Amino acid sequence: MRVYLPATIGMLRQLVADGKFMPVSGTGFALTPALRESYTSGSTDELEYAALLDAARASLRLIGAALGDEPEQAESDTELPRRVVVSVDVDDVTLRPDLDHAVVRLGGPVALDDVAAVHVDAAEAEPAVRAASAVIDAADLGDADAEFVLGEAEDHELAWYASQELPFLLELM
């Protein structure tokens, strides 16, 4: 099953260094039967893209936690404010429709060999991602201004990288 895992730049560095990583709480997003049923129409590609976008939104939460209370000042080498989604092909997943339509839990760490691709924001998205990571909770609670800020980040398309390109991508950051 193709699973989309929310991550950060620091988690990518760990994946490359260790050859594996465990997503936070083992949580990922996938094209599940519940996700398919929640849409009246859409191809498999469109529904998988919806799961990828759910993972990208979850990445904002991880970035917000990494940046802490002062997102304007915090920008370490390992935690650039860029959304990261790691696409993996794994079999050991548990569907969690009680959490959301696309949520799955992984049974263990993900090996670098299981990575199909990585999706990462470009540098020009950093200001929008930084701002969105600070208001993601307010946006989820219906704050219209926060939803606008979140939309600014989500307007940026994630760039696609093959797993063998990861060391070079991280070296350029």
Side-chain angles (χ1 to χ4, degrees):
M1 171 181 271
R2 175 66 49 95
V3 178
Y4 303 96
L5 305 173
T8 64
I9 298 297
M11 293 169 99
L12 277 186
R13 290 187 191 286
Q14 178 187 356
L15 173 61
V16 170
D18 299 344
K20 64 181 178 178
F21 92 106
M22 183 67 181
V24 175
S25 300
T27 300
F29 299 84
L31 173 52
T32 64
L35 180 64
R36 188 175 297 282
E37 289 175 15
S38 71
Y39 281 83
T40 58
S41 67
S43 69
T44 297
D45 288 343
E46 291 169 326
L47 297 176
E48 284 189 351
Y49 186 67
L52 182 141
L53 292 179
D54 283 347
R57 186 171 278 207
S59 176
L60 285 172
R61 293 185 190 289
L62 298 175
I63 293 165
L67 295 178
D69 294 332
E70 299 181 32
E72 296 302 320
Q73 295 178 8
E75 187 172 318
S76 70
D77 176 51
T78 59
E79 288 310 333
L80 293 171
R82 297 188 191 184
R83 294 172 299 161
V84 175
V85 176
V86 179
S87 299
V88 299
D89 293 316
V90 293
D91 293 323
D92 187 15
V93 298
T94 304
L95 303 179
R96 292 299 310 265
D98 55 312
L99 297 176
D100 203 345
H101 297 302
V103 175
V104 297
R105 289 279 163 85
L106 275 64
V110 174
L112 186 56
D113 291 342
D114 295 328
V115 175
V118 176
H119 311 271
V120 181
D121 273 315
E124 55 267 7
E126 288 181 14
V129 169
R130 183 181 296 111
S133 71
V135 300
I136 182 81
D137 290 333
D140 283 348
L141 294 173
D143 182 305
D145 292 333
E147 287 178 17
F148 179 79
V149 172
L150 180 61
E152 292 287 321
E154 291 179 338
D155 283 345
H156 292 273
E157 288 291 324
L158 297 169
W160 180 94
Y161 298 92
S163 59
Q164 58 269 34
E165 295 176 299
L166 283 179
F168 307 109
L169 170 66
L170 294 172
E171 187 177 308
L172 293 173
M173 292 187 164

